[in-house]
Amino acid sequence: KEEVATSVKEFISDSKSILSGITEGIAEGRAAGESRDQAIIVKDHQTLSKYVTFTVSKVKSLSKDRYELTLALKNSADQPVRLIGLDQDQNVLLIDKEGFASHLEASMFTANRGDITIPASAGIRVKWIFEDTEDKPKTLRLYHHDYELDQLKK
């Protein structure tokens, strides 16, 4: 019994390492390689802050536990900028005034698969819906960096 438990434990541990490595490798490969449209790839806060500014134009309660944020994203580069990995758990979070985090609704990723491309020297508006938000939103965490919603509003 213990041998089986140890084998399963090692298999699960190895599988998690493999999946984590694959995910990391994909993100790094996408960022390092040249995209078809010459887009700058953003996968972290440092690159985001270099090329993109944003404001939150609207915070709207859709129901008791769902909020919609409308963001205006502006690209300062003379080539497209693509935000990748937005569908990964920790890259986009909405944190309420009590400090509890909510994730983007899974339905947000059917169309763009976790990527947003902002045209060169232009801006776009995106709407993000967060689920299981029990209290008033206070902070947007994007690529592991916290932004106070009050400071982001126009």
Side-chain angles (χ1 to χ4, degrees):
K1 179 178 174 180
E2 285 184 33
E3 290 174 359
V4 171
T6 300
S7 294
V8 170
K9 176 182 155 188
E10 289 174 2
F11 173 76
I12 297 297
S13 177
D14 291 345
S15 297
K16 286 171 54 178
S17 295
I18 289 168
L19 290 174
S20 176
I22 289 170
T23 302
E24 188 176 314
I26 289 170
E28 288 179 10
R30 289 183 72 192
E34 194 170 289
S35 62
R36 289 177 293 144
D37 59 357
Q38 309 297 313
I40 297 166
I41 304 298
V42 173
K43 66 178 182 96
D44 56 38
H45 169 70
Q46 182 179 359
T47 311
L48 176 73
S49 62
K50 184 175 180 180
Y51 297 105
V52 178
T53 58
F54 66 95
T55 57
V56 174
S57 57
K58 191 187 301 183
V59 178
K60 179 175 157 185
S61 176
L62 299 177
S63 66
K64 182 178 136 190
D65 63 349
R66 291 175 68 230
Y67 277 85
E68 177 183 83
L69 263 62
T70 303
L71 283 80
L73 303 164
K74 294 217 174 178
N75 173 6
S76 62
D78 60 356
Q79 62 194 94
V81 170
R82 182 167 301 116
L83 283 59
I84 67 169
L86 298 173
D87 55 348
Q88 294 177 7
D89 261 358
Q90 302 301 309
N91 282 345
V92 180
L93 295 170
L94 187 63
I95 302 170
D96 69 20
K97 65 181 185 174
E98 298 294 323
F100 292 96
S102 302
H103 294 90
L104 283 170
E105 269 190 357
S107 64
M108 301 298 302
F109 304 114
T110 54
N112 64 17
R113 296 177 307 238
D115 297 349
I116 293 176
T117 301
I118 308 167
S121 304
I124 62 168
R125 288 185 182 84
V126 296
K127 292 184 181 197
W128 285 344
I129 299 173
F130 293 87
E131 57 188 353
D132 301 325
T133 306
E134 293 187 15
D135 213 337
K136 185 177 177 184
K138 180 181 177 199
T139 306
L140 176 66
R141 182 172 293 164
L142 185 55
Y143 293 118
H144 307 278
H145 186 82
D146 288 355
Y147 299 92
E148 297 298 319
L149 292 178
D150 288 341
Q151 296 175 2
L152 291 174
K153 290 183 182 174
K154 286 193 200 178

